[in-house]
Amino acid sequence: MHLGNETLLREIHSIWTNPLLVNRAERALEDLSVDLDNGLADMVPVGAWSLANPDLVERLKKVLH
């Protein structure tokens, strides 16, 4: 769970040897890829989004394309 220290997150990502998942509480669907795009994460957990939105895959396709 990341709450906002971007410098610390960048440092962790640079030394982390496994894929880094960054979970930002209540991030808008349109902003899920921000950490990927900025090189701060390798994966973005979508557990809460997928539970609350059975059509998540279709919604992500629309937002990310």
Side-chain angles (χ1 to χ4, degrees):
M1 176 78 65
H2 180 64
L3 301 174
N5 186 334
E6 304 303 314
T7 302
L8 176 61
L9 181 57
R10 190 168 301 285
E11 290 176 22
I12 290 170
H13 190 247
S14 72
I15 61 173
W16 197 256
T17 58
N18 294 309
L20 183 63
L21 285 75
V22 177
N23 185 5
R24 297 203 188 234
E26 302 191 25
R27 173 162 271 181
L29 182 63
E30 300 81 29
D31 297 330
L32 285 180
S33 69
V34 170
D35 290 327
L36 295 173
D37 297 340
N38 292 328
L40 297 173
D42 299 307
M43 297 177 77
V44 178
V46 294
W49 274 107
S50 62
L51 289 174
N53 301 283
D55 62 337
L56 179 66
V57 172
E58 294 306 315
R59 292 176 69 185
L60 284 175
K61 286 178 182 177
K62 290 177 185 176
V63 171
L64 300 176
H65 286 99

